[in-house]
Amino acid sequence: MTKRIGVLTSGGDCPGLNAVLRGVVHAATARDWETIGFLDGYEGLLSPVQYRILDKRSTAGIMHLGGTILGTTNKGRFVAKVGHGGKALLPQDIIAEAQETLEGLGVEALITIGGDGSLSTSLQLQEAGINTIGVPKTIDNDIDATSMTFGFDSAVTCVVDALDRLHTTAKSHKRVMVLEVMGRYAGWIALHGGLAGGADIILIPEIPFNLENVFDVIREREAKGAQNTMVVCAEGACLGDGDYVTKAKKAAGEARLGGIGEVVADAIAENTGKDTRAVVLGHLQRGGNPTSLDRILGTRFGVHAVDLIAEKKYGHMVSYQNYLAGDVPMEEAVSQLKLVSRETQLVQTCREVGISFGD
């Protein structure tokens, strides 16, 4: 009987997911294994069970496409993250139904492609006896056990493109432009995008900022003849009281961050008198075609996930360290977020080229 493996994409979408799926299918086919793709994340495991058979034909021509051909969700019955990064246990009946589905379809192992929330779900399934392999997916690049996640480079490229465009309109109108970017509780997108895009001020969650310091930087720049200023603000950056700005309260799942850019822009306008505009880049960072780096990284992750199944190295997550695809135990992968340290070389590089963090 042909060996059968499963794969699903869960959580937020990001560029490179289809490259992973294609890598999984090609590596599995080379071993004469059959691949089942479950639809809409973990929800596809529950009644009414939804899946499709994936082969080389169905995954042809998808590597350059954004999104995921399997669909995904960060809602539903498998939510394992609540509030601001808190974790929730899955109901035992949900886990049992998923296990019954996989056993009924003869799926020997399940590849779960997702961020820290989805991988927390995967770990719970593994602990319940379901063979799982995790593949880290997040534009936030905040999974501690891997040096990079696919989707991050594409998101940063989107930020840089936006800053390139905003520079010209800011200079024409002598404005301050505040660009709010994604990243949740980590400032990696803002840090990389701001440096590459020529930002003057970068505000991130890991480095507490004072609005008065931001005002001073803008005034000093204007005194020296720079009449426009570019501010990149991570959505998780906190005000002086240390609280996050959220768009809406959610009954379940993680809180939805957003709105800090507008708050900062209003404060700048009121206290400096500068014409100030806020731009929220939002889901543009998740959409569109993946960069070449994310296509390559996604493919390598997909292939290595199949290698781990062949080695029966269940309960592990694919990781990327020192330019090599490797793996780490799942519990290590989801134990903590990878956050920006104010001592990291990249932060020091930003400071040395004159970028302020508002601290």
Side-chain angles (χ1 to χ4, degrees):
M1 183 179 177
T2 301
K3 185 171 183 174
R4 179 177 278 183
I5 65 173
V7 63
L8 58 82
T9 54
S10 179
D13 65 309
C14 80
L17 282 167
N18 286 323
V20 181
L21 294 175
R22 178 178 176 273
V24 167
V25 169
H26 277 248
T29 302
R31 290 178 166 84
D32 292 324
W33 297 354
E34 186 177 56
T35 305
I36 288 183
F38 291 94
L39 306 185
D40 298 332
Y42 293 101
E43 293 298 308
L45 297 170
L46 304 182
S47 180
V49 176
Q50 299 181 78
Y51 66 89
R52 57 185 290 196
I53 302 298
L54 298 179
D55 54 24
K56 287 187 175 181
R57 181 185 294 273
S58 61
T59 55
I62 68 169
M63 184 166 60
H64 70 286
L65 301 177
T68 164
I69 62 170
L70 293 180
T72 186
T73 182
N74 52 13
K75 301 177 182 178
R77 294 162 284 184
F78 281 89
V79 172
K81 302 282 280 188
V82 294
H84 289 295
K87 296 182 180 180
L89 294 178
L90 296 174
Q92 287 303 309
D93 60 323
I94 294 295
I95 295 178
E97 185 177 346
Q99 191 163 23
E100 183 179 353
T101 296
L102 293 168
E103 290 175 352
L105 291 171
V107 174
E108 183 168 323
L110 179 66
I111 297 173
T112 59
I113 310 169
D116 63 316
S118 299
L119 293 175
S120 294
T121 297
S122 185
L123 177 59
Q124 292 186 51
L125 296 182
Q126 176 67 38
E127 291 171 343
I130 298 173
N131 296 329
T132 62
I133 298 293
V135 174
K137 174 257 3 143
T138 169
I139 66 170
D140 305 331
N141 201 37
D142 61 354
I143 296 180
D144 192 55
T146 181
S147 63
M148 182 175 287
T149 54
F150 67 90
F152 174 65
D153 186 65
S154 298
V156 169
T157 298
C158 182
V159 172
V160 173
D161 179 65
L163 286 171
D164 288 347
R165 295 170 183 271
L166 290 174
H167 270 292
T168 59
T169 184
K171 187 173 183 179
S172 298
H173 290 273
K174 302 178 179 62
R175 283 175 175 156
V176 176
M177 303 297 296
V178 180
L179 180 66
E180 181 182 310
V181 303
M182 287 182 167
R184 297 199 63 76
Y185 308 105
W188 296 108
I189 293 177
L191 183 62
H192 284 251
L195 176 58
D200 305 300
I201 301 171
I202 299 175
L203 306 177
I204 61 177
E206 298 91 337
I207 301 180
F209 70 93
N210 186 307
L211 279 172
E212 288 296 333
N213 293 338
V214 174
F215 305 152
D216 288 343
V217 170
I218 294 171
R219 294 187 187 109
E220 289 170 9
R221 284 179 49 77
E222 188 163 27
K224 294 177 181 178
Q227 295 182 317
N228 63 284
T229 299
M230 305 297 297
V231 182
V232 173
C233 187
E235 64 181 357
C238 297
L239 295 172
D241 60 6
D243 198 14
Y244 298 106
V245 177
T246 56
K247 283 187 174 180
K249 300 291 184 181
K250 295 179 68 176
E254 284 195 277
R256 186 192 303 172
L257 299 177
I260 183 66
E262 193 73 44
V263 172
V264 170
D266 288 346
I268 290 172
E270 181 179 348
N271 287 271
T272 68
K274 290 289 293 182
D275 188 12
T276 308
R277 297 288 188 274
V279 177
V280 180
L281 201 48
H283 285 75
L284 289 172
Q285 295 157 94
R286 292 191 177 280
N289 298 341
T291 60
S292 58
L293 177 60
D294 283 338
R295 299 180 197 190
I296 294 169
L297 191 60
T299 301
R300 294 180 68 182
F301 277 14
V303 169
H304 195 65
V306 175
D307 291 341
L308 292 177
I309 292 177
E311 298 170 18
K312 297 188 181 299
K313 210 169 183 180
Y314 304 128
H316 279 233
M317 182 198 80
V318 177
S319 69
Y320 187 69
Q321 302 286 356
N322 300 317
Y323 300 101
L324 297 174
D327 60 273
V328 295
M330 196 89 71
E331 58 267 22
E332 179 181 331
V334 301
S335 61
Q336 64 180 8
L337 293 177
K338 180 176 68 179
L339 302 176
V340 177
S341 166
R342 64 169 64 230
E343 284 77 36
T344 189
Q345 188 180 65
L346 195 57
V347 169
Q348 298 308 314
T349 298
C350 288
R351 293 190 190 276
E352 290 186 33
V353 298
I355 297 174
S356 171
F357 289 89
D359 57 343

